[in-house]
Each structure stands twice: as C-alpha cells, then as structure tokens.
Amino acid sequence: MEDDEFEKLLNSLICDESKDLNDKNTEEEQDSGYEECYEESYSETDEEDTQADDGTVFPDGEIEQNLNLSVNVEILRPIANPREELDKLVGCGEIKQRMDELVNLTRYNKMIHELCPTGKQHKVSLHSLFLGRPGTGKTTICKIYGSLLRQAGALSKGHVVVCDRGTFIGTLWGDEERSTRQVIDMARGGVLMIDEAYLLNSANQNDPGRMVIQLLMNILADESQRDIAVVLCGYREPMQKLMDLNPGLQSRFPNKFEFQDFTIDELLVITRQRIKEYDYTFTAEAWEKYVDILTAAYQRRDPQTWGNARFIGNLLERIYIRHASRCVEQQSRGRSALLSLTPDDIVPIEVPRSKARIGF
C-alpha cells in the first residue's frame, strides 16, 4: 500500500472513530472532535473562537489585499505559562537570558511608575531581530515573547501575527499599503512577526516590498504606537544587508537575538521530547539505528539548507507513518506493541541539498 493511500485510510478511520464517539457527547464536544480530525489552523476557526475566556478579542486572521483577493494570516494565541515553556526549550541559553533581561526591564519600569508616577522611566524598545536558519525555534520563541510581554504589562494581548512577503504584496497597485495597515491593526496589542523579512527589500527600486519597509518605519517612528512589538526574522547575512540598506531600521530594532544551529546532542533531546508527546518509546535497537541515521544526515548537511528541528519533525513523521503501517499490517495488539518504535520503523529521509545563496 502506498504511503499517501495509507495516510488517507488511517485519517478516515480516525475521523470515523471520532464521529462515533462524538455522537454520544455534546454538540460542543462534536465540534472539538471534528477540528482534531482535520487539524484546522486557528486562522480558519469560527468567529466565536476570536474571543478568549478573559474577554480578550483576537483578530480572525484574514486581510483583504483588494476587492478580488483575500489572504489568511496565521494568528498564534498567547500561552498561559510562557516562562515555563521557555525553560523547556533545548539550547537557546543566551536567548533566554537576553529575553529575561528585556522583560525584567519592562517590569521594572512598571514598578517605578506605580511607586513614582512622575518619575522618568527607561525607554524600552520591544522591536527585535531574530537571526538564524530555519528550524532553530524563532517562531516558538516569538510566541513565548509575546506572552511574556503580556504578563509584564508591556502588551495588552500578547498574540503573534505571522507574516511574510506574500502577506503584503498583492496583484494591484496599492495592495501593499492596504495590507500593511491591516496587518498592523491586526497585530495591535501583540507581536507582528515577519518571516524572511529580507525578501521585502532588493536592489530593484520599483520593488513593492520597499513600500512595506517604508510604511513600517513610519509606523515605528510614531510614539503613540506603543502597544505592538515588531519582530523581523531571517538568515543573519541577508538580514544584516537589509539593515545596511535601510539605516533607519538599525535604531528601531535594537534587540538582536542570535539563533544557533542545534548540536547533534540537542537534536536527540528534541527527538525524545517529541515522541513523548505521543507516548512513543524507542526499543534499544531502534534508538541505536535512529542515532546512526541522524548522525549521518548531520555530518553531510549543508548549513544553508539544514532544517535543524524541522528535519527532526520530518524524519519522525516518516517514522510514524512507517510504524502505523506496520502495526496495521501486522494487526498489532496491546499498548506496548502500538507505542514501541522498532528498527523496522526507522527509515532515513533525504537531506536537503545546497542552494544558491540569497543576495541582493
């Protein structure tokens, strides 16, 4: 049986079981089961989901670039215990320390204001650069960042609006301005995260991405725009070129967080954490084979295309599919058999090849 056919069959079986169980529950529980089957993203949820339990209203995740084109934007809700989640992350020691310092400074300002309302407070810029390759945790840290700032009282909502060049650039003249203003409004009270932000700028003077950069600079220069943090993400070298070509950005993004590639030992820890989410365990032989496969992939990786934790996610997904297929074919029974990953389940995946360096 082909993998894609097996996935369709497995998803069908899971959804059918969820439907049977939901028939016995309330209508609210039925809706929850449906969403689990189809793994709907937050941006596609119903309007009632835009309001949190505490009454905080979040955007619905859609902007209109023009009358004929709408774009969905991912919205990441704030989390309840951001500092605990930060501690759970593998590596990122310097980032954790820097983030603690920035958050503590905002809390210190709040303490000073409460004790001495007329006292002068330190200026704190929340706008930041997240520099690193894919899979190094930038989006995860950004979500924690927004939640920490909300707890510290620096942001009113703490959600994260995730964008990239495609969010802003439409098909008609003026789409980028409409999109930028809508995204800024959507991110108010939280964090605006722009992934691969360097793609908004190029040597072409007519590149519409330049308009987005200029609009962002104008908005960041407005002192009344306090209830928002803008985070620009991307590879270190292209991001530095973006800063050099737009000197005004340098002073508006004083916080730089460097995301290093994970070591092989850190990737193994990440593996253990991720399989624990599904209650899987490796047999001793399976773990040895997994370590060999990951080590071989790590040794022949290209730094420019290496996926870090994303590679671990892709490798584990392939293993999960292989494991599920084996269990179904062998009609495995019992919790141990269904949740034990064996050497037969451990298969390699392709290591990303090198690609042309991004430049301007």
Side-chain angles (χ1 to χ4, degrees), residues 63-71 170-172 175 178:
I63 63 172
E64 293 184 359
Q65 288 185 340
N66 54 61
L67 295 178
N68 301 316
L69 183 61
S70 296
V71 177
T171 58
L172 301 177
D175 282 353
R178 285 189 291 271

Side-chain angles (χ1 to χ4, degrees), residues 105 108-124:
L105 182 56
Y108 175 81
N109 272 344
K110 186 176 180 180
M111 293 165 62
I112 289 294
H113 179 70
E114 291 174 350
L115 291 174
C116 184
T118 59
K120 185 176 180 179
Q121 298 184 33
H122 296 283
K123 289 185 177 180
V124 182

